[in-house]
Amino acid sequence: MATLAHCAYCFESLAASLESRQPLSLPKVEALWEKYYSVPETDEDGQPDSEEASVLTQDEDGDMEMDDVPPESRPARPAAINRLLAPSPASASSTPSTRSTTSSRAEASSASSKSSSRTSIFSFGKRSNKSTTLTGSDSGSHPLFVTWNTISRSGNKSLRGCIGTFEAQDLDQGLASYALTSAFEDARFLPITARELPALECGVTLLTNFEPASDPMSWDIGTHGLRISFIYHGRRYGATYLPDVAKEQGWTKEETMVSLMRKAGWTGRKDDWKKVEDLHVVRYQGKKEQLSYRDWRDWRDWIDEQGLKPGY
């Protein structure tokens, strides 16, 4: 499953490319992201806020306990940040590379977006009031997509770039590569520039559970993404929509299929979409995580406050 740290790593890769510096590696981003979210907020006297400094649970009798709280979830000040950033043989920082524009276009991009008995009373601080996964519990190789959106001052979201691959990628290299490919090589848009960074939002989707659909309608809106392939006028076409697209657009299943076929290049009548030759539908799953530039920038500023400088 994608995490907020994955999104932060994509921001790190893009910003480093635009700033001509070496980015942090994914393991280092994950370690620092977890440290950042374990620091409780402080009051004006520099002391932890009383409402946020404790990691406790309350049982039915009102007694306070910490037995059920994992040690890794208990708040602690960051330690040895310099050690975390120091190069190590096991996780050396790598320079992301991009794929060619031709191959990037061949790999499908997503469509534009429209706009109990025990009561837990613990908190990690104001920064951690998120229900999403923070760091990487999911390692290994995955098919993946990286999405860039711009957020207007009024809050409207517009697609700025989205490219991915159905070929399993090592996450350190794959996320860095497709963060840049989707930012710079999406043929629908001009390359993202440094001045656009503050308005960006990054989304990461790791794809899982691929299976042939027994019927073009055998999938669920909001759960499944679709990858289709069909023959039209003697030529094979194909396209994909990520799992969140149909739900965000408010489409029915049939509207989704017609739109996806249009995206692939089909120009037939709307009611004739089932008549194309050799239509194959593969459904898959994947939960998207999204992170704003502001959240990434706050984390990056926190790193800089530790006395570190770009380049490390």
Side-chain angles (χ1 to χ4, degrees):
M1 184 173 70
T3 68
L4 292 175
H6 293 155
C7 300
Y9 179 55
C10 290
F11 262 119
E12 173 69 14
S13 300
L14 176 58
S17 176
L18 293 170
E19 296 165 6
S20 300
R21 63 172 174 83
Q22 186 79 356
L24 295 170
S25 68
L26 177 57
K28 291 176 181 177
V29 168
E30 290 178 324
L32 289 170
W33 191 261
E34 185 172 6
K35 288 288 186 180
Y36 174 70
Y37 272 89
S38 72
V39 181
E41 294 291 321
T42 58
D43 58 24
E44 294 179 356
D45 298 325
Q47 300 299 319
D49 287 349
S50 59
E51 295 181 357
E52 299 179 351
S54 300
V55 181
L56 300 170
T57 56
Q58 185 178 32
D59 63 18
E60 293 176 334
D61 298 324
D63 296 328
M64 309 306 294
E65 301 179 345
M66 294 188 72
D67 296 341
D68 296 337
V69 181
E72 63 269 21
S73 296
R74 300 175 183 175
R77 286 285 179 183
I81 298 297
N82 285 315
R83 175 179 59 79
L84 283 170
L85 289 172
S88 65
S91 59
S93 178
S94 60
T95 303
S97 62
T98 61
R99 294 173 179 261
S100 68
T101 303
T102 301
S103 62
S104 298
R105 294 176 185 175
E107 292 160 331
S109 58
S110 74
S112 303
S113 297
K114 290 182 184 178
S115 358
S116 77
S117 64
R118 306 179 67 86
T119 303
S120 174
I121 62 170
F122 63 85
S123 170
F124 301 129
K126 294 184 178 68
R127 282 193 292 259
S128 61
N129 293 331
K130 295 178 180 286
S131 60
T132 47
T133 306
L134 298 178
T135 55
S137 59
D138 199 345
S139 58
S141 299
H142 290 273
L144 57 89
F145 273 73
V146 177
T147 303
W148 295 106
N149 292 314
T150 55
I151 310 298
S152 69
R153 292 183 178 180
S154 61
N156 292 325
K157 182 186 296 189
S158 301
L159 183 68
R160 190 60 180 83
C162 182
I163 293 178
T165 178
F166 290 103
E167 182 179 335
Q169 303 286 307
D170 172 78
L171 293 186
D172 198 334
Q173 179 64 24
L175 288 173
S177 176
Y178 281 93
L180 300 187
T181 300
S182 59
F184 300 142
E185 298 186 21
D186 192 322
R188 298 168 293 180
F189 308 98
L190 293 173
I192 289 175
T193 62
R195 66 180 179 82
E196 294 180 82
L197 279 174
L200 288 180
E201 174 190 74
C202 180
V204 171
T205 310
L206 303 185
L207 311 183
T208 62
N209 301 336
F210 288 83
E211 54 186 355
S214 58
D215 180 88
M217 295 297 192
S218 180
W219 56 278
D220 295 321
I221 293 175
T223 299
H224 295 108
L226 300 174
R227 184 183 186 184
I228 65 169
S229 174
F230 60 91
I231 295 176
Y232 180 58
H233 288 173
R235 177 182 173 187
R236 173 136 330 250
Y237 293 83
T240 190
Y241 275 154
L242 296 178
D244 59 302
V245 172
K247 184 176 181 179
E248 287 185 356
Q249 300 293 329
W251 291 333
T252 64
K253 288 185 179 182
E254 184 163 357
E255 288 171 337
T256 302
M257 286 299 300
V258 171
S259 176
L260 186 53
M261 293 177 67
R262 297 279 190 219
K263 179 185 177 184
W266 178 68
T267 58
R269 294 178 54 200
K270 180 178 66 174
D271 296 335
D272 293 341
W273 68 271
K274 292 183 180 180
K275 297 179 181 180
V276 298
E277 299 177 49
D278 200 28
L279 174 61
H280 293 282
V281 179
V282 174
R283 67 185 191 184
Y284 58 87
Q285 298 180 42
K287 182 179 180 296
K288 180 190 288 185
E289 286 291 356
Q290 299 178 100
L291 183 72
S292 69
Y293 172 84
R294 180 176 180 178
D295 286 339
W296 173 80
R297 186 72 262 177
D298 286 346
W299 169 77
R300 207 58 176 73
D301 290 342
W302 173 81
I303 294 178
D304 294 340
E305 287 170 5
Q306 311 308 307
L308 303 170
K309 298 180 179 179
Y312 314 114

